[in-house]
Amino acid sequence: MNLLALETSCDETAAAVISETGNASGPWRIASSIVASQSEIHRAWGGVVPELASRQHVRDICGVVYAALDQAGISLDDVGAIAVTQGPGLVGSLLVGVAFAKSLAWARGLPVIPVHHLAGHIESLTLAHGELPLPAAVLVVSGGHTSLYHVPSAGVYQVVGRTRDDAAGEAYDKVAKLLGLGYPGGPVIDRLAREGRDDAFDFPVTRLTHADRNAPHPTAPPGLLPPEAARRVDFSFSGLKTAVLRLIRERTKEPSGGQRGSRVDVKVKAAATNGSHGLSRQEVADICASFQRVVVQALLDRTFEAAGWLGARSVGIAGGVSANSRLRAEATARGERTGIPVFVPPLHLSTDNAAMIGAAGFRRLRSGATFDLSFNAEASLTLTG
Ligand code: KG4
Ligand code: ZN
């Protein structure tokens, strides 16, 4: 069967055709994958503007779907099911994909499968590498999420850790903004970090061990992790972002002691829009490299610790930040050291795309679940299953 998949949760309008292979260890193949990125539109604003995003999805969605069918060499008559991202994401953006998918499914008499965006990121690993050795510990790390999942069997996702504040990709984007590097920040910091010294600045690696207002209970289901470990799987990146902000303040030549709203603050904020912070290219590269070292260490320490506690037979890393060159290299090296195979998607499946939504859609369809048209877009959908 061919499945048409749609993804419009944030600032990419994407459509793909996924086909079944009949091979249980590698069940799906990408027949086509089209992504229309809006990053040029949002770059001018330093981040995604929700209203602009949903309007652009409306403009792009028909063309993107036709392009996906063309690239796959099929017509709508050859499509047996439709999958669409239901959430989480920007509700106005999600609505465009959901309304389009439901209308097309109704008009053609096809089943439509609502898909959780993070299930899509997790299944991008199966799409690229075939079924993972299970149980697996899978880190989903993107602009909106930093969550660690236990996958005990195919299609079952149990969250065991998550960020208590910023997502790792969000920290990349905010630090890039502070340094006047533009949006999205991940790729540019990744590139600049190669020119910098990663030990130039001693930024803190946050290690959580305690309850707080945001997380009164451990994230993992009771009994899954040893009690003393359950809280150690959460992440936090807002302190790191503040440490970078402080460093930039110290290094600008304004009088010190800046409170919020001081001239130093104003100067740092100005840097966010025009890059005029006065730091040399080498200083910026050193900040990028030092920041990236800490993010990668925080992500991998927790992921590999949890993999050990869970008795995982593989580690997966998916989502936009899994495109990061240092994260990929260090994850592979740690995998070799610990003897746990590590899987990351190819770059075109790391950032948002519809092929991964198709894979997760097939997973749900073949699990025997049935679907109707009564679902709606959900900005804060949680992942269970
Ligand atoms: O998965 P994704 O495309 O969208 C969300 O679901 O959020 O992830 C986008 C995030 C952005 O924050 C972007 O800065 C980050 O992924 N990103 C990277 C890299 N490429 C994209 N972060 C670090 N290094 C990269 N090479
Ligand atoms: Zn994503």
Side-chain angles (χ1 to χ4, degrees), residues 117 121 142 319-320 352 356:
H117 183 78
H121 277 302
S142 71
D352 285 351
M356 67 184 196

Side-chain angles (χ1 to χ4, degrees), residues 165 203-210 232 234-241 294 297-299 301-302:
D165 39 61
F203 295 131
V205 184
T206 311
R207 289 201 173 76
L208 295 171
T209 53
H210 55 278
R232 294 197 6 220
D234 281 354
F235 305 90
S236 165
F237 293 101
S238 72
L240 173 59
K241 176 194 63 192
V294 170
Q297 188 187 332
L299 292 172
D301 282 356
R302 241 61 108 253

Side-chain angles (χ1 to χ4, degrees), residues 97-111:
V98 166
F100 189 98
K102 289 204 288 192
S103 311
L104 190 58
W106 181 73
R108 308 289 305 192
L110 294 172

Side-chain angles (χ1 to χ4, degrees), residues 7 9-10 117-118 121 140 142-145 319-320 350-353 356:
E7 151 64 37
S9 66
C10 188
H117 183 78
L118 299 191
H121 277 302
V140 182
S142 71
H145 302 273
S350 292
T351 45
D352 285 351
N353 65 88
M356 67 184 196

Side-chain angles (χ1 to χ4, degrees), residues 7 9-12 117-118 121 141-145 168-173 183-191 194 292 319-325 347 350-353 356:
E7 151 64 37
S9 66
C10 188
D11 63 342
E12 257 99 31
H117 183 78
L118 299 191
H121 277 302
V141 62
S142 71
H145 302 273
E170 191 180 354
Y172 266 96
D173 295 337
Y183 170 86
V188 59
I189 290 185
D190 191 358
R191 227 175 18 250
R194 286 178 211 147
Q292 181 156 283
V321 181
S322 73
N324 186 265
S325 57
L347 292 181
S350 292
T351 45
D352 285 351
N353 65 88
M356 67 184 196

Side-chain angles (χ1 to χ4, degrees), residues 113-182:
I113 308 147
V115 169
H116 193 286
H117 183 78
L118 299 191
H121 277 302
I122 294 173
E123 297 301 351
S124 73
L125 296 165
T126 314
L127 193 54
H129 303 287
E131 298 288 2
L132 303 189
L134 299 178
V138 180
L139 174 70
V140 182
V141 62
S142 71
H145 302 273
T146 301
S147 299
L148 188 65
Y149 289 91
H150 175 227
V151 183
S153 54
V156 176
Y157 320 107
Q158 292 177 305
V159 66
V160 294
R162 62 184 171 81
T163 182
R164 300 214 194 151
D165 39 61
D166 292 349
E170 191 180 354
Y172 266 96
D173 295 337
K174 286 179 175 168
V175 165
K177 198 167 175 179
L178 288 173
L179 291 169
L181 299 175

